[in-house]
């Protein structure tokens, strides 16, 4: 990707609003009060661009970031992030040295991982993940205490303990409450350093805030539990494209692969440089739409790898018109609902070809 091209050269781009990011962070900070905010910037900051987003957040005083893996952490370090960076998914064998080199805080999820880290003789900060019920990663209560004892006298310093809520966006709070109680009971007074458990949806529980919260989706403008948490956020990313071509076709014209759509009237169609390789799902073939001048332009025929064809017969568009794939009116939550998925997946799927432009 040639990133120094001026905006709009590649006619498909994602505008990332830094002022909205700041507003969303402010709303989260007001909500969590004395707890700190750890910004989750894994998966390229949910498609928003981890480096630029983290640099901006650090400039706003954010002191903690969380990433999935060592590579993501190293990328931030190489780009001026000197705040604490916690790697959530653990350290693969032989990457212990890289974790130390980039001064990343690692997570420990098993006794074996603990022993391997000790054997590496690297000086590291570690957070111990407790498995309070997600059963994805994390230590049992017995292993949590055993790991802490093993680490005594090693070069690995325990600076935190955390857990992850599996069901914080469910109406029924019971399972989350059990997880919170378990985590608190097992780590209370244990000298684990900072404690943290809440994701975005976990902000609904006043007793989930602990020392800091790990927020991802709500920071990017999607409140997963709007009925439960009065935090007003707005989507940070708008995804746009300009047409490659606008054409008039007679009634009876087949559109795109396999001729799954045939015009039933004289039509104007616009070809946009957005396809499934860019994260615009092929499931939107003959069913999705984009917006132009606030009006609906339906996807005609199959979504292809690099392009879609949309109906602009009734919309006044030119080659200069900005089409919106994602905006406030049709956001990632709407696309996700239509696809039977969640906004997290829609945002992460936006491909690298859509140049990120920070406004
Ligand atoms: C991704 C992730 C988060 C952030 O979740 P959101 O729902 O996007 O706020 C927090 N903690 C862990 C362990 C995660 O994997």
């Amino acid at each position: 990707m040639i990133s120094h091209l001026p905006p709009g050269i590649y006619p498909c781009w994602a505008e990332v609003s830094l002022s909205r990011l700041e507003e969303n962070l402010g709303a989260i900070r007001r909500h969590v009060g004395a707890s700190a905010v750890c910004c989750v910037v894994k998966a390229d900051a949910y498609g928003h661009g981890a480096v630029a987003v983290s640099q901006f957040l650090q400039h706003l005083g954010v002191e903690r970031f969380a990433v999935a893996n060592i590579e993501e952490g190293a990328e931030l370090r190489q780009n001026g992030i000197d705040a604490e960076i916690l790697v959530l998914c653990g350290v693969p064998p032989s990457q212990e040295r890289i974790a130390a080199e980039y001064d990343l805080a690692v997570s420990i999820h098993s006794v074996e991982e603990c022993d391997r880290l000790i054997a590496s003789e690297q000086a590291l900060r570690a957070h111990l993940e407790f498995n309070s019920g997600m059963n994805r990663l994390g230590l049992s209560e017995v292993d949590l205490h055993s790991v802490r004892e093993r680490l005594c006298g090693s070069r690995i310093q325990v600076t935190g303990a955390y857990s992850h809520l599996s069901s914080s966006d469910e109406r029924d709070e019971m399972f989350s409450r059990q997880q919170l109680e378990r985590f608190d009971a097992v780590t209370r007074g244990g000298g684990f350093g900072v404690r943290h458990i809440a994701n975005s949806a976990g902000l609904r529980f006043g007793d989930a805030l602990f020392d800091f919260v790990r927020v991802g989706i709500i920071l990017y403008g999607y409140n997963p539990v709007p009925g439960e948490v009065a935090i007003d956020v707005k989507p940070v990313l708008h995804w746009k494209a300009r047409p490659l071509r606008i054409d008039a076709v007679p009634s009876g014209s087949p559109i795109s692969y396999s001729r799954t759509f045939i015009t039933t009237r004289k039509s104007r169609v616009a070809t946009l440089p957005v396809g499934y390789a860019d994260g615009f799902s092929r499931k939107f073939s003959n069913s999705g739409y984009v917006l132009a001048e606030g009006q609906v332009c339906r996807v005609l025929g199959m979504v292809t790898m690099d392009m879609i064809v949309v109906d602009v017969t009734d919309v006044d568009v030119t080659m200069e018109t900005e089409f919106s794939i994602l905006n406030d009116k049709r956001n990632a939550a709407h696309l996700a609902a239509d696809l039977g998925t969640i906004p997290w997946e829609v945002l992460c799927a936006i491909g690298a070809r859509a140049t990120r432009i920070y406004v």
Side-chain angles (χ1 to χ4, degrees):
M1 232 42 54
I2 305 166
S3 56
H4 59 264
L5 291 177
I9 290 283
Y10 186 70
C12 170
W13 68 101
E15 279 177 17
V16 177
S17 165
L18 296 177
S19 54
R20 282 213 171 159
L21 193 61
E22 180 169 10
E23 284 159 20
N24 294 347
L25 176 69
I28 297 163
R29 278 176 164 164
R30 283 192 293 281
H31 182 85
V32 302
S35 297
V37 176
C38 169
C39 295
V40 180
V41 292
K42 62 191 181 188
D44 206 22
Y46 295 37
H48 294 63
V51 167
V53 161
S54 305
Q55 286 174 343
F56 182 69
L57 291 169
Q58 178 167 271
H59 149 85
L60 297 177
V62 169
E63 291 174 343
R64 290 183 182 273
F65 294 94
V67 294
N69 62 36
I70 304 273
E71 285 78 2
E72 291 180 339
E75 187 190 23
L76 296 187
R77 279 282 182 259
Q78 286 168 340
N79 287 281
I81 303 303
D82 44 33
E84 180 69 311
I85 300 174
L86 173 63
V87 179
L88 296 168
C89 299
V91 186
S94 79
Q95 287 195 13
E96 300 88 354
R97 196 182 50 76
I98 303 174
E101 192 177 313
Y102 287 100
D103 196 28
L104 306 174
V106 302
S107 298
I108 300 182
H109 310 106
S110 70
V111 173
E112 297 71 43
E113 196 176 13
C114 169
D115 289 343
R116 180 161 55 72
L117 288 169
I118 294 172
S120 78
E121 295 188 345
Q122 300 295 325
L124 291 165
R125 293 181 304 288
H127 289 218
L128 310 188
E129 183 178 357
F130 171 60
N131 176 16
S132 61
M134 172 91 173
N135 289 309
R136 180 175 68 173
L137 285 174
L139 298 149
S140 66
E141 181 173 357
V142 170
D143 286 350
L144 184 79
H145 294 298
S146 140
V147 161
R148 200 182 36 169
E149 275 157 32
R150 280 162 195 257
L151 292 174
C152 283
S154 78
R155 303 192 69 200
I156 295 165
Q157 187 195 355
V158 177
T159 56
Y162 74 99
S163 193
H164 193 45
L165 298 170
S166 68
S167 311
S168 49
D169 56 356
E170 280 172 18
R171 273 188 77 85
D172 186 350
E173 302 180 351
M174 200 175 61
F175 194 75
S176 299
R177 296 232 168 260
Q178 283 172 9
Q179 285 194 278
L180 290 172
E181 275 163 34
R182 284 274 289 145
F183 175 66
D184 188 27
V186 168
T187 58
R188 191 185 304 142
F192 288 103
V194 289
R195 298 191 298 158
H196 48 108
I197 186 166
N199 51 5
S200 296
L203 297 178
R204 65 197 273 200
F205 305 111
D207 51 357
L209 307 181
F210 289 94
D211 292 302
F212 61 83
V213 296
R214 302 185 306 266
V215 288
I217 198 76
I218 198 164
L219 186 63
Y220 305 110
Y222 295 87
N223 182 341
V225 283
E228 311 288 339
V229 180
I231 301 183
D232 197 21
V233 290
K234 293 201 182 74
V236 168
L237 185 149
H238 285 183
W239 186 8
K240 299 181 179 180
R242 269 196 207 95
L244 300 170
R245 182 178 86 150
I246 297 171
D247 199 21
V249 294
S251 180
S253 303
I255 309 279
S256 192
Y257 286 125
S258 309
R259 309 189 316 281
T260 60
F261 182 85
I262 296 173
T263 54
T264 54
R265 57 176 177 166
K266 185 167 175 283
S267 302
R268 274 178 91 223
V269 296
T271 305
L272 304 179
V274 183
Y276 60 77
D278 302 292
F280 191 77
S281 175
R282 195 163 172 275
K283 291 188 186 141
F284 282 132
S285 299
N286 284 311
S287 76
Y289 64 90
V290 300
L291 296 168
E293 310 295 351
Q295 285 177 272
V296 169
C297 308
R298 303 220 145 266
V299 175
L300 305 179
M302 301 306 287
V303 172
T304 75
M305 186 183 288
D306 314 305
M307 288 170 269
I308 51 176
V309 180
V310 299
D311 186 5
V312 293
T313 311
D314 303 317
V315 189
D316 191 16
V317 297
T318 70
M319 291 295 283
E320 297 310 311
T321 302
E322 288 186 2
F323 287 71
S324 289
I325 301 129
L326 280 183
N327 64 10
D328 287 348
K329 202 169 151 194
R330 181 154 172 79
N331 65 34
H334 301 127
L335 261 71
D338 288 351
L339 289 168
T341 184
I342 54 176
W344 289 257
E345 187 179 6
V346 170
L347 293 172
C348 292
I350 301 172
R353 275 199 305 210
T355 313
R356 270 52 168 184
I357 295 167
Y358 298 90
V359 295

